[in-house]
Amino acid sequence: MLVSTFAAHPAAAAAARRQPGPIRPRLPSCSQIGTGTLRRRFPMARLSITNALASQSLESAPAAPPKLSFPILVNSCTGKMGKAVAEAAVSAGLQLVPVSFSAIEVPDGKVEICDREIYIHDPSEGESILPSIAKDYPDMIVVDYTVPDAVNANAELYCKLRLPFVMGTTGGNRQLLRKTVEDANVYAVISPQMGKQVVAFLAAMEIMAEQFPGAFSGYKLEVMESHQATKLDISGTAKAVISCFQKLGVSFNLNEVKQVRDPQEQLTLVGVPEEHLSGHAFHMYHLTSPDETVSFEFQHNVCGRSIYAEGTVDAALFLHKKIQSGVNKKLYDMIDVLREGNMR
């Protein structure tokens, strides 16, 4: 079982076998990442000529620019991830388009998000309905959180209608996805991972793979990823990290990934808190040297969906600015969003 591999360094494991008592497993850390409003504390003003002049300067200073807002259509709002993005978009001051698409039937054909009614249509109606929605909501950006099997078909539709979009859904044919966007010359952000801090980790991995190819040649890699049972495919993040390790000289096939989707196994083997079984992402990458005297371990655990929802909204804000500026480059990923440095 993988749990034994991840329990300790090989040398430590050998020493442990000589101990009379059992070893307590290490509990993985898990902290929900949210957003809050920072409050600045200002010192009490002192009466002086300097303060008076400063006050006049502030009064004459130009007003702060208005908060950026534009229409955003979240497809689909019936899923937990889509709902989280819709809530984050409203919180950010964006205009939530009251339309979404889903094969899931909902009461009265609508859902309520942040006191807004969102009307749900069958995905087959997308091509006939989206043109009129785009006309009613100029500058609209679509966010896609649907299912892996719909990724390429949805992207083709967005490109056909020339709708800029953020693709948060993992899976599908990613090479074809990029080609579809490039051929259509439509603005889009495509990323297998929308959590900004996790993307920063991925960027660091890519830099290491580019600058030190073959550094881990001969090492054995074991990968375990745990997500809620509704996630059907292998994590896109895991695929990206594995790709970096392959460039670093590690031989590994995607079918070797241990996918954990059973709740009981997630509780006992992975250590996922029970309240987050329905929404989490725990990843572990374990490297062992050929002679088993050296090991490396990379781990990132996320509970909840707020980290992805906030990152997705940042991606939409980024894309809107690129569209408004009219830059020639159209296709972006979350690393581009991070490099822009204007995240909330």
Side-chain angles (χ1 to χ4, degrees):
M1 283 180 63
L2 191 62
V3 64
S4 61
T5 306
F6 284 49
H9 182 283
R17 285 192 293 267
R18 296 192 293 268
Q19 300 298 322
I23 299 175
R24 291 185 178 181
R26 184 186 60 192
L27 293 177
S29 60
C30 172
S31 59
Q32 187 160 355
I33 302 174
T35 58
T37 303
L38 296 176
R39 295 182 178 178
R40 296 179 60 189
R41 294 184 177 179
F42 294 92
M44 184 178 294
R46 297 177 180 176
L47 294 176
S48 67
I49 295 176
T50 304
N51 281 339
L53 291 174
S55 177
Q56 291 177 5
S57 176
L58 287 172
E59 289 175 0
S60 60
K67 196 171 184 180
L68 187 65
S69 182
F70 54 88
I72 184 169
L73 187 154
V74 180
N75 185 28
S76 165
C77 285
T78 58
K80 292 181 180 179
M81 191 64 238
K83 183 180 179 182
V85 171
E87 292 171 344
V90 172
S91 178
L94 304 186
Q95 182 183 5
L96 185 60
V97 176
V99 175
S100 188
F101 299 88
S102 176
I104 299 174
E105 292 187 8
V106 295
D108 301 322
K110 59 186 178 183
V111 296
E112 188 173 296
I113 297 177
C114 298
D115 298 325
R116 293 160 173 79
E117 290 185 337
I118 310 297
Y119 292 87
I120 307 300
H121 297 270
D122 190 84
S124 62
E125 301 177 82
E127 190 166 358
S128 61
I129 294 176
L130 276 174
S132 61
I133 296 173
K135 186 177 180 180
D136 292 338
Y137 295 91
D139 301 326
M140 180 179 75
I141 289 178
V142 179
V143 169
D144 191 293
Y145 275 102
T146 53
V147 293
D149 289 344
V151 165
N152 295 104
N154 286 353
E156 288 175 8
L157 178 58
Y158 305 148
C159 288
K160 180 180 179 180
L161 300 176
R162 307 209 57 77
L163 295 173
F165 66 95
V166 176
M167 180 59 73
T169 312
T170 59
N173 186 325
R174 307 306 280 193
Q175 289 185 336
L176 178 60
L177 173 60
R178 294 182 65 87
K179 185 177 186 304
T180 299
V181 175
E182 290 169 348
D183 291 347
N185 201 30
V186 169
Y187 284 98
V189 173
I190 298 174
S191 177
Q193 170 61 249
M194 290 293 174
K196 294 171 286 189
Q197 293 76 16
V198 180
V199 171
F201 166 70
L202 284 174
M205 288 295 303
E206 290 182 3
I207 291 171
M208 182 168 65
E210 180 181 344
Q211 296 190 3
F212 308 109
F216 285 92
S217 293
Y219 273 66
K220 178 184 178 182
L221 174 64
E222 293 175 89
V223 179
M224 178 177 69
E225 57 98 340
S226 173
H227 291 78
Q228 58 278 3
T230 54
K231 182 169 177 58
L232 306 176
D233 59 329
I234 295 177
S235 163
T237 303
K239 291 179 181 178
V241 174
I242 290 168
S243 176
C244 292
F245 280 126
Q246 289 171 333
K247 293 174 185 176
L248 287 163
V250 176
S251 178
F252 190 85
N253 195 293
L254 284 178
N255 60 20
E256 298 177 61
V257 174
K258 178 174 176 57
Q259 292 178 262
V260 183
R261 297 294 184 269
D262 177 67
Q264 190 59 41
E265 198 174 4
Q266 290 170 341
L267 285 170
T268 57
L269 172 64
V270 186
V272 178
E274 187 173 2
E275 64 270 25
H276 291 294
L277 288 175
S278 62
H280 70 277
F282 278 37
H283 290 221
M284 189 180 292
Y285 312 90
H286 190 86
L287 290 155
T288 307
S289 64
D291 61 359
E292 298 187 350
T293 61
V294 181
S295 68
F296 292 85
E297 190 172 282
F298 300 81
Q299 182 174 334
H300 51 91
N301 300 336
V302 176
C303 295
R305 297 177 174 84
S306 63
I307 184 175
Y308 311 117
E310 293 296 333
T312 302
V313 171
D314 278 332
L317 290 166
F318 166 89
L319 196 61
H320 177 76
K321 291 177 182 177
K322 293 299 180 183
I323 296 169
Q324 296 302 306
S325 64
V327 295
N328 292 328
K329 183 178 178 179
K330 302 292 178 68
L331 180 57
Y332 300 93
D333 57 25
M334 279 301 288
I335 293 178
D336 294 312
V337 178
L338 282 174
R339 284 176 178 151
E340 192 80 357
N342 293 326
M343 295 172 295
R344 298 161 299 120

